[in-house]
Amino acid sequence: MKAAFKPRIDREHRTRLETVVPLETPFIINIDPCDTCNFQCKFCPTGDRALMQRTPGRGHGPMDFALYQKLIDDLAAFDKRVKVIRLYKDGEPLLNPHFADMVRYAKDSGHCDRVDTTTNASLLTPELGRRIADAGLDRINISIEGVTDAQYADFSQAHVTYETMRENVAAFYEHRGGCEMVVKINGDILTEAQKQQFLDDFGDITDGIFIESIMDCWPTFEQTKVDINESRGIYGQEIREVLTCPYPFYSFAVNSDGTVSLCFLDWSRKLLLGDAKTTPLKDLWLGETMREYQRMFLRGERKQHPVCAVCGQLRQGAPDDIDAYAADLLPRFL
């Protein structure tokens, strides 16, 4: 196997947040190309279409390209380049017909260091793959949801031909240029033999590969269709809860309709900071609403918040822990 066995995030070479916050420029901005999905995965709120219909602010669909251009143009106001524009949040990014153009516009702007995305790859045809690679995408995380057609039908309610999916991933790998690839799968639905099959099938057509676990990451979304892995975190790490959510100290997210969320896990639009259609991104990042959320976490009050209190990401998937520094950091945000 040529690929390195590693998760989709770098857990080892991370900037220590306590040494750099508050940040005048965020490290990461998630921008959602589309908040709907062609899959209905059991673990994901977006896959519950009845739930989406009764959730205000959801079901918008693809982001308008003119709005996207405004967002990227807004980045010029920040003191530094944003490290990563992450074209992913709630839905399937490749459902946006302008996805390759979105990549190119961000790369050509000079306002960010990298552009990446996460996709189920069902729409990653060889033609689209070449367009995305040529546009300059820096990294792609590909989520595989089974190793048979039947597993896809059961877990994602998607009519996917597994072998065609693998062929399309292989085609992208061949023409990826400088784009780094990581292919990962939910291992909790696989037998040991199927895990090895996954490694055999994709291990030579990607740069990185990983077998994840299912976790209850979306706050206030009740997981009733899957069993949560309580023996390890999503990346195989020890399960341990942190009280100070690290994400609002270095990132925020723009939904496909232009509203801006505190967090990339804000599927229900309960953590809104404002609207990027009318407010510059820098003003939202440095605004009082964001600052008060940051102070709330540093005061150790997360468990008192009706949404953040029940976030499983901070138990099974948080990449940073600044709990020990919270009291010392708080004066910087007053």
Side-chain angles (χ1 to χ4, degrees):
M1 185 174 76
K2 294 190 298 186
F5 191 76
K6 64 178 183 179
R8 53 189 151 129
I9 67 167
D10 186 349
R11 300 185 62 239
E12 297 179 357
H13 306 97
R14 303 185 67 82
T15 299
R16 296 186 64 89
L17 291 178
E18 68 274 10
T19 67
V20 295
V21 298
L23 294 171
E24 291 294 313
T25 303
F27 287 163
I28 300 171
I29 301 178
N30 284 74
I31 299 178
D32 197 2
C34 182
D35 81 333
T36 55
C37 189
N38 57 336
F39 280 19
Q40 298 180 70
C41 296
K42 291 181 177 181
F43 64 89
C44 178
T46 299
D48 188 334
R49 293 178 181 170
L51 174 63
M52 293 299 98
Q53 289 178 354
R54 60 178 186 266
T55 301
R58 292 305 309 268
H60 174 267
M63 175 178 282
D64 181 76
F65 189 64
L67 170 59
Y68 176 76
Q69 290 175 306
K70 188 266 184 188
L71 299 176
I72 298 302
D73 294 346
D74 273 3
L75 303 183
F78 285 108
D79 295 344
K80 299 178 181 179
R81 288 157 59 105
V82 174
K83 291 183 181 296
V84 179
I85 293 298
R86 182 149 293 155
L87 295 178
Y88 171 71
K89 184 178 181 283
D90 292 312
E92 169 49 47
L94 301 190
L95 283 173
N96 192 310
H98 300 292
F99 183 81
D101 300 321
M102 297 172 84
V103 173
R104 188 179 302 278
Y105 194 81
K107 292 292 292 184
D108 289 349
S109 74
H111 300 326
C112 63
D113 292 336
R114 294 170 59 83
V115 179
D116 68 24
T117 193
T118 296
T119 173
N120 62 37
S122 62
L123 304 175
L124 190 66
T125 61
E127 178 185 358
L128 179 57
R130 287 187 180 92
R131 289 176 53 211
I132 292 171
D134 291 345
L137 187 68
D138 293 291
R139 181 184 173 110
I140 186 168
N141 297 313
I142 294 176
S143 300
I144 302 299
E145 305 297 352
V147 294
T148 66
D149 298 0
Q151 281 184 332
Y152 265 95
D154 175 64
F155 193 74
S156 300
Q157 298 185 48
H159 299 292
V160 169
T161 302
Y162 174 75
E163 187 53 38
T164 300
M165 174 84 76
R166 183 189 173 279
E167 290 172 358
N168 288 342
V169 171
F172 185 84
Y173 180 71
E174 182 179 353
H175 299 286
R176 73 194 186 285
C179 182
E180 180 186 10
M181 285 180 64
V182 174
V183 178
K184 48 98 173 176
I185 196 170
N186 159 34
D188 293 339
I189 64 170
L190 304 180
T191 65
E192 291 304 313
Q194 288 172 331
K195 291 177 184 178
Q196 187 59 53
Q197 177 190 342
F198 166 70
L199 297 176
D200 292 342
D201 286 349
F202 290 94
D204 290 331
I205 56 172
T206 185
D207 301 306
I209 196 166
F210 199 69
I211 299 175
E212 294 184 350
S213 291
I214 295 180
M215 68 174 184
D216 186 10
C217 60
W218 283 281
T220 73
F221 176 67
E222 186 177 359
Q223 295 283 4
T224 59
K225 299 177 182 179
V226 295
D227 294 325
I228 303 303
N229 192 318
E230 295 291 351
S231 64
R232 67 174 202 159
I234 186 173
Y235 307 118
Q237 79 278 27
E238 176 187 0
I239 293 179
R240 183 176 58 85
E241 188 165 28
V242 300
L243 289 178
T244 310
C245 178
Y247 296 111
F249 293 94
Y250 66 87
S251 67
F252 65 103
V254 186
N255 301 307
S256 66
D257 64 354
T259 57
V260 177
S261 288
L262 171 78
C263 173
F264 71 100
L265 294 169
D266 182 28
W267 68 271
S268 59
R269 307 297 189 263
K270 299 286 181 60
L271 305 172
L272 295 181
L273 302 176
D275 194 330
K277 294 191 295 293
T278 56
T279 307
L281 290 180
K282 183 177 180 180
D283 291 354
L284 293 168
W285 171 248
L286 299 177
E288 180 57 25
T289 302
M290 174 62 91
R291 277 288 187 262
E292 181 50 33
Y293 269 112
Q294 293 166 335
R295 291 191 289 261
M296 176 193 76
F297 290 122
L298 293 174
R299 290 194 299 261
E301 298 172 358
R302 177 173 75 84
K303 288 296 187 178
Q304 300 172 33
H305 191 278
V307 176
C308 299
V310 292
C311 179
Q313 180 79 11
L314 300 183
R315 180 171 174 267
Q316 290 185 290
D320 307 285
D321 182 356
I322 56 173
D323 281 358
Y325 307 97
D328 292 333
L329 293 175
L330 181 58
R332 302 184 194 177
F333 293 83
L334 297 177

